[in-house]
Amino acid sequence: MSDEDENLLAILGPTNTGKTYAAFEKLFSYSSGIFGFPLRLLARENYDKAVKRVGLSNVALITGEEKILPKEAKYFFCTVESMPNNISVDCVIIDEVQLAADYERGHIFTDRILNLKGNFQTIFLGSSNIENILKKIYPNIAIEKKNRFSQLTFLRKQNFSKLEPRSAIIAFNINKVYEIAENIRTHKGGAAVVLGSLSPRTRNAQVQVYENKNVDYLVATDAIGMGLNLNINHVNFSSLEKFDGRYNRNLAPNEIGQIAGRAGRYKQDGTFSYIKEAGDLDPLIIQQIENHKFDSVQKVYWRNSNIDFNSIDLLLSSLKKYPIHHYFIHKKNALDEINFRNLINDSEIRKLLVSKKNLKLLWDICQIPDFEKLFNDSYLLLLKSIFVILIDNNYNIPEEWIDKKVTKIHNLGGGIPELSIKISQIRTWTYIANNHNWLKNSNYWKEKTQQIENELSDHLHESLTKKFIDYSSKFFLGRQNFQNIEDILIKNTNEIFLDKLKYGVISGFDLIQDKKIFSQSLFSISNIKKSVRNMIDEKVDNFLQAPLDSISFGDVGKCKLNTETFIYWGDESIGKLKKGKTIYKPIADALNSEYLSSENKLLISAKLQKWLDNEIKNTLHPLNNKLDGELNSEIRAIAFNCLENFGNYPIEKFRDILKTITPESKLQLSKLGIRIGAKYFFIPNLLKKKPIELCAILWKTFNQNNIDYFLPLPLNGRVSFVSKIKMPENYWQSIGYINIQNFAFRIDMFEKIFFIARQKYKKGPFLESSDLMNPIGCNSNQLKDILTFCGYDYLTISDEKKLFFLSNKKKNSKESKNKKNIKLNKIKVSTNVKKDPNSPFAVLEKLL
């Protein structure tokens, strides 16, 4: 602390001032040097830069858990704790010297500030608030102040949902970090995670995920406050207090400034804020942070580094030694000191502390970091076991003992907490292998433990990525107007793929999500929907320009009675039928879809209605024709009933009218397309496949029911078919069919058979024959049911053939009308007709 120390330089200023870059350049202006960093991560990062600059053989890396020491090394990149004090170099640089005021590590930084000097220059890097202390220690020190390249501005309170991309969210415990990261994954697509407890390899991997813009958000502890140069535009604090290992306390303004200062890179301005739940910051503190003007550090921690190992009492006395200057705070109860005081009270250990060597050994063991942050007896038991095993084995750790410990850790199974614990455990053995000569084959164990740490770190990174990052979000980050449809759409199939995984398929104007789809974040889902909405808008435009004949009811035969009737464009359903005021006036409505705007849905519905109206008009002509005003009332009544009942209507109700109908009236019916049968009026034009199917759909839409079966329809327009479905009579009439004993047959074919039967009966009873069965495609039993329906009775004769004759009921009706008294058991055969031995009459005569 001599006034003659004029080779000292302090480069001070807030974050983003280029202090580290300037010092890095100064280091290589000397032939040798040591650069001490507050984090292993930063030491490694700058070591890699130095290797690229001056070559692998000229650069060394020294940290608690990693040592790369080429014999010809000239430049040493270290953590502050690992800076060597037995090497003479031209330049020494210590970064973040304001940490001398830190409760946990301050005494180590103070020791390096006091005791490590370069032959030609020593440089201290840090915040401006440490200037006062440095001047007290070194009155002649040169101070170089640097201003921030960019501005830092406070924004109003912001919740996570309002955060813009390239933001970092700060939390102060692991559980909160994970909770926020899960929230960000759900709503923003994912976040990288940076914790002080992560291994450097995992932290680097997570940082790269953010820097490569695979995600737009970073969730971190205050670990990012120390030298991590990231492309962060905004820093948001989830809390304004932290647990510092002793108690919860408010963050000091300079601590907030250190972390918030990570927002902005080079000349790009940065902003910071905090969420509503974090509380409030005094406007004066906000002003301090924006202007980087903090209260000066008045005192720093100090502990005697010249420890006497001649006895326990002398060692403890060394630790009790007080500083001679008032700006030093005597550091008490550092972790290594607490460990030592606890272990010397152990009777098994105390009896072994019989030499200076053993005492020094115990002190070295007590400085093994508590990577697991156990703060309990488990940590002390580990230290004790290491000490005892070393004493018992001539100051060496047996290979089989460490192998057993390490092998137990070398298990890549488990979740994030388990992997984190294993990494902390292996770091203990990595530290031991790198810092002490307790292993005979130390190089092997350095490599072995480092390999295990790397494997565990890679698995932890993968687990963090899977849990907190939805990689499908990469399709949407940084894209404008969603010009990335090609990335997620497989042309011609309308299938949506994200990261080679099928998300769903566009059907009609909707997206059907794959049932096996992996869980997506709301961020990706919302962006998928935006992209799909653009695709569907384009599809709607194509539909509105498409011809009407591209629309159909699809395969009507696969339409169930108890489900809605869909309208198809090509093979895709886009609309459905709804019941209208009359059976011939159903309503066409576009299917609901969150991807359709109200305007587009109305346009689609309007086009579907136009198609439906045309379909009914053209297919069911003349059902929708208005009746001519010149029709007489009787013909009008017949026509009205026929047209109201799909063109088919029983004659029975108009039989009296038909007895006196004039040829002119018959012509009027014929012009309307209506034919007069023996039992039914019918319209032949409506007894074709397409009109039949349309009539069935109209009936189904208007007469809603719960029958869980497909519409009973003839296959390919056949004139008859078997159907066991119990349908109302008016259904069969609506499609122009009659159903008897589950056998459905078309009305016009029925009239044809009825006509043939009447012609046959003019000659008397008649046998079943092919000319009766072929037109309708029925068998003997089905013909029997049809003719019975027509009023005939039958007898079964030889060869199981049936002989048909008018039933008693039919005969009685004719006899009463003609006033004839003919016995039912006698059948007269005209004597004027020459008898044919093979005729039905001859057959009947033989039977009687």
Side-chain angles (χ1 to χ4, degrees):
M1 291 183 287
S2 169
D3 291 348
E4 298 176 1
D5 290 324
E6 295 180 353
N7 65 340
L8 299 176
L9 170 66
I11 304 176
L12 306 178
T15 55
N16 192 26
T17 56
K19 299 189 300 291
T20 306
Y21 175 81
F24 190 84
E25 293 300 315
K26 282 182 178 288
L27 179 71
F28 289 104
S29 67
Y30 294 96
S31 60
S32 62
I34 299 173
F35 205 142
F37 295 91
L39 298 174
R40 174 186 174 190
L41 188 67
L42 292 175
R44 180 76 203 208
E45 179 184 317
N46 283 276
Y47 164 80
D48 292 337
K49 289 179 183 177
V51 167
K52 290 179 181 178
R53 180 160 178 162
V54 297
L56 189 64
S57 62
N58 292 315
V59 187
L61 175 66
I62 307 175
T63 69
E65 301 148 67
E66 194 172 11
K67 283 183 173 56
I68 301 174
L69 291 167
K71 290 182 179 179
E72 299 175 2
K74 298 176 182 178
Y75 302 98
F76 298 82
F77 291 83
C78 322
T79 52
V80 170
E81 284 85 349
S82 300
M83 293 176 76
N85 54 13
N86 58 348
I87 299 175
S88 177
V89 293
D90 291 344
C91 179
V92 170
I93 304 172
I94 304 173
D95 192 18
E96 304 291 1
V97 289
Q98 75 276 3
L99 287 178
D102 180 72
Y103 177 79
E104 293 292 333
R105 303 172 68 196
H107 64 285
I108 298 168
F109 278 80
T110 300
D111 178 71
R112 303 304 184 261
I113 291 169
L114 294 174
N115 300 317
L116 277 182
K117 301 290 189 303
N119 295 331
F120 296 106
Q121 189 164 42
T122 302
I123 302 174
F124 303 128
L125 308 178
S127 174
S128 299
N129 64 345
I130 196 67
E131 178 183 356
N132 176 56
I133 292 293
L134 292 178
K135 283 184 174 180
K136 287 180 179 179
I137 299 173
Y138 301 113
N140 293 331
I141 189 171
I143 304 292
E144 181 181 326
K145 293 185 178 180
K146 285 187 170 288
N147 295 319
R148 186 176 165 90
F149 289 129
S150 60
Q151 288 187 333
L152 182 65
T153 308
F154 176 72
L155 298 181
R156 60 182 176 80
K157 296 179 181 179
Q158 284 189 313
N159 284 334
F160 304 138
S161 60
K162 303 295 183 183
L163 290 179
E164 294 294 325
R166 314 313 293 167
S167 292
I169 301 99
I170 310 301
F172 294 98
N173 67 69
I174 292 176
N175 291 336
K176 191 65 177 177
V177 166
Y178 290 164
E179 177 189 325
I180 294 170
E182 184 66 34
N183 181 300
I184 296 296
R185 180 194 187 278
T186 301
H187 296 97
K188 303 284 189 180
V193 173
V194 174
L195 304 165
S197 60
L198 294 179
S199 67
R201 188 180 179 93
T202 305
R203 259 184 293 177
N204 275 339
Q206 286 290 301
V207 165
Q208 280 305 115
V209 167
Y210 176 80
E211 288 292 274
N212 292 339
K213 296 189 177 180
N214 289 326
V215 293
D216 269 334
Y217 298 88
L218 180 74
V219 184
T221 60
D222 51 352
I224 70 164
M226 293 296 167
L228 283 179
N229 295 313
L230 303 171
N231 288 301
I232 298 171
N233 296 338
H234 179 76
V235 171
N236 179 275
F237 290 85
S238 67
S239 175
L240 295 173
E241 63 175 33
K242 65 176 285 188
F243 179 73
D244 64 2
R246 294 174 295 166
Y247 49 80
N248 277 323
R249 62 172 177 80
N250 291 329
L251 294 171
N254 63 299
E255 290 177 310
I256 298 174
Q258 181 77 23
I259 300 166
R262 292 300 156 193
R265 184 85 180 262
Y266 191 45
K267 294 185 178 181
Q268 179 180 324
D269 294 339
T271 56
F272 72 100
S273 65
Y274 53 91
I275 64 172
K276 294 177 182 178
E277 292 78 8
D280 287 295
L281 271 181
D282 189 298
L284 292 176
I285 294 178
I286 293 173
Q287 189 176 3
Q288 276 185 292
I289 296 167
E290 289 179 328
N291 297 328
H292 318 292
K293 301 293 184 182
F294 304 110
D295 294 338
S296 296
V297 173
Q298 299 299 319
K299 294 186 177 184
V300 294
Y301 286 95
W302 177 92
R303 187 177 75 178
N304 179 29
S305 57
N306 186 20
I307 298 175
D308 190 341
F309 293 102
N310 285 303
S311 70
I312 294 174
D313 291 337
L314 289 173
L315 190 152
L316 294 176
S317 295
S318 301
L319 297 174
K320 289 179 181 178
K321 185 176 180 181
Y322 275 80
I324 59 174
H325 295 286
H326 66 88
Y327 46 81
F328 289 141
I329 303 171
H330 180 222
K331 174 60 180 174
K332 299 177 182 177
N333 298 324
L335 185 59
D336 52 2
E337 183 179 344
I338 292 172
N339 294 337
F340 184 80
R341 290 182 181 276
N342 281 318
L343 289 176
I344 60 175
N345 291 325
D346 184 289
S347 58
E348 186 178 355
I349 289 179
R350 196 171 186 91
K351 68 183 181 182
L352 298 174
L353 299 177
V354 294
S355 66
K356 183 177 182 179
K357 184 176 182 179
N358 287 4
L359 198 59
K360 178 68 167 63
L361 175 63
L362 181 61
W363 178 251
D364 289 341
I365 289 172
C366 288
Q367 291 187 305
I368 295 173
D370 180 13
F371 292 109
E372 289 187 69
K373 305 298 180 187
L374 295 173
F375 302 113
N376 59 26
D377 292 342
S378 297
Y379 176 49
L380 288 173
L381 287 173
L382 172 65
L383 299 183
K384 175 183 176 180
S385 65
I386 294 171
F387 178 75
V388 172
I389 202 79
L390 282 167
I391 297 296
D392 291 345
N393 291 275
N394 196 26
Y395 302 101
N396 283 302
I397 295 176
E399 296 282 316
E400 60 276 10
W401 188 80
I402 189 174
D403 184 64
K404 185 178 179 181
K405 298 284 187 183
V406 168
T407 302
K408 185 178 179 181
I409 300 170
H410 196 188
N411 176 0
L412 302 179
I416 292 172
E418 292 81 6
L419 288 170
S420 298
I421 290 171
K422 289 173 187 175
I423 290 173
S424 299
Q425 291 171 339
I426 198 64
R427 288 177 73 184
T428 299
W429 302 108
T430 303
Y431 178 90
I432 290 171
N434 278 277
N435 284 275
H436 300 287
N437 297 318
W438 300 337
L439 296 162
K440 289 182 180 179
N441 194 359
S442 60
N443 287 333
Y444 168 80
W445 290 109
K446 285 178 185 179
E447 294 176 5
K448 178 74 172 177
T449 54
Q450 190 64 60
Q451 175 197 348
I452 294 172
E453 181 183 330
N454 290 344
E455 289 179 11
L456 289 168
S457 297
D458 291 342
H459 272 72
L460 178 58
H461 167 63
E462 184 179 340
S463 296
L464 289 169
T465 299
K466 285 181 178 179
K467 185 169 180 62
F468 300 122
I469 300 174
D470 172 12
Y471 259 99
S472 62
S473 64
K474 68 186 177 184
F475 293 105
F476 308 105
L477 295 175
R479 306 292 185 97
Q480 296 297 322
N481 299 323
F482 302 98
Q483 297 172 347
N484 58 314
I485 291 176
E486 304 80 17
D487 293 337
I488 67 173
L489 174 66
I490 303 299
K491 297 290 185 183
N492 302 322
T493 64
N494 285 337
E495 292 177 312
I496 303 298
F497 282 81
L498 289 179
D499 209 20
K500 298 182 180 179
L501 292 172
K502 185 177 178 181
Y503 182 84
V505 62
I506 296 176
S507 178
F509 303 123
D510 203 0
L511 175 67
I512 300 173
Q513 188 172 316
D514 196 309
K515 292 181 179 178
K516 297 180 181 178
I517 190 65
F518 54 93
S519 176
Q520 298 284 350
S521 70
L522 294 179
F523 174 82
S524 281
I525 290 173
S526 64
N527 281 291
I528 289 169
K529 288 180 177 179
K530 288 178 183 177
S531 294
V532 170
R533 193 168 284 115
N534 288 339
M535 300 178 204
I536 288 178
D537 284 345
E538 182 180 345
K539 196 171 182 181
V540 169
D541 291 339
N542 292 336
F543 168 73
L544 295 175
Q545 296 172 22
L548 290 178
D549 59 12
S550 63
I551 306 171
S552 71
F553 285 116
D555 188 347
V556 178
K558 294 182 179 179
C559 183
K560 280 198 167 185
L561 285 155
N562 62 344
T563 61
E564 293 178 308
T565 301
F566 294 103
I567 304 173
Y568 294 83
W569 181 37
D571 296 328
E572 300 175 346
S573 59
I574 59 170
K576 63 182 179 180
L577 288 190
K578 294 167 67 175
K579 183 177 180 178
K581 291 182 179 180
T582 70
I583 200 166
Y584 295 119
K585 294 290 183 181
I587 299 168
D589 191 25
L591 293 178
N592 288 327
S593 169
E594 63 177 297
Y595 301 98
L596 284 180
S597 65
S598 299
E599 180 184 359
N600 278 343
K601 186 178 180 185
L602 288 173
L603 290 172
I604 293 168
S605 297
K607 181 161 184 173
L608 292 178
Q609 190 68 52
K610 180 180 178 181
W611 166 80
L612 180 61
D613 293 342
N614 285 346
E615 195 76 358
I616 293 173
K617 178 181 178 181
N618 297 331
T619 305
L620 300 187
H621 177 80
L623 292 186
N624 45 18
N625 283 3
K626 290 184 178 180
L627 294 176
D628 192 333
E630 295 181 0
L631 291 175
N632 64 55
S633 60
E634 293 174 340
I635 296 304
R636 181 181 293 277
I638 292 172
F640 176 80
N641 281 280
C642 285
L643 300 184
E644 283 294 304
N645 291 277
F646 295 96
N648 311 302
Y649 200 72
I651 279 177
E652 185 65 33
K653 295 183 180 180
F654 294 96
R655 193 170 293 280
D656 292 340
I657 294 175
L658 291 177
K659 286 179 180 179
T660 59
I661 192 170
T662 65
E664 291 79 9
S665 295
K666 283 187 177 181
L667 183 60
Q668 287 180 334
L669 283 177
S670 180
K671 286 181 178 179
L672 290 172
I674 301 172
R675 300 291 178 264
I676 304 171
K679 275 189 173 289
Y680 291 94
F681 297 105
F682 62 93
I683 300 177
N685 285 344
L686 300 184
L687 298 178
K688 299 174 183 177
K689 182 177 186 294
K690 188 173 180 180
I692 288 172
E693 290 181 346
L694 181 55
C695 289
I697 287 172
L698 293 177
W699 183 92
K700 167 185 177 294
T701 304
F702 194 77
N703 300 282
Q704 298 169 356
N705 57 72
N706 294 318
I707 300 174
D708 186 20
Y709 204 79
F710 298 104
L711 269 174
L713 289 169
L715 184 63
N716 296 323
R718 288 181 181 176
V719 298
S720 66
F721 62 100
V722 175
S723 175
K724 296 181 180 180
I725 307 171
K726 301 300 179 184
M727 295 293 292
E729 188 64 32
N730 65 348
Y731 168 76
W732 299 111
Q733 184 179 321
S734 73
I735 67 170
Y737 277 70
I738 301 167
N739 187 297
I740 300 175
Q741 299 293 333
N742 298 332
F743 183 63
F745 45 91
R746 212 166 68 193
I747 284 178
D748 59 338
M749 290 296 102
F750 164 75
E751 292 289 354
K752 185 176 182 178
I753 290 174
F754 198 7
F755 173 77
I756 294 172
R758 293 199 311 276
Q759 294 303 310
K760 284 179 175 289
Y761 193 70
K762 287 180 180 179
K763 296 179 181 181
F766 55 91
L767 285 173
E768 63 182 48
S769 58
S770 59
D771 60 339
L772 286 167
M773 291 186 278
N774 287 346
I776 207 166
C778 63
N779 58 33
S780 175
N781 284 330
Q782 291 166 341
L783 179 64
K784 175 257 296 182
D785 292 334
I786 293 170
L787 292 180
T788 301
F789 175 71
C790 293
Y792 291 93
D793 210 339
Y794 70 94
L795 290 172
T796 302
I797 59 176
S798 60
D799 297 329
E800 298 299 317
K801 291 221 173 198
K802 297 178 179 65
L803 180 72
F804 292 96
F805 53 90
L806 282 176
S807 68
N808 289 342
K809 184 177 179 182
K810 188 79 174 177
K811 283 184 178 181
N812 287 337
S813 174
K814 285 187 176 181
E815 287 169 358
S816 63
K817 290 180 180 179
N818 297 322
K819 296 182 180 180
K820 292 181 180 180
N821 188 15
I822 301 174
K823 293 184 180 180
L824 294 178
N825 60 349
K826 291 184 179 180
I827 299 176
K828 294 183 178 181
V829 180
S830 174
T831 57
N832 297 326
V833 180
K834 189 177 179 179
K835 292 184 179 180
D836 180 356
N838 295 319
S839 72
F841 304 100
V843 173
L844 182 59
E845 198 171 50
K846 290 177 183 179
L847 289 172
L848 296 176

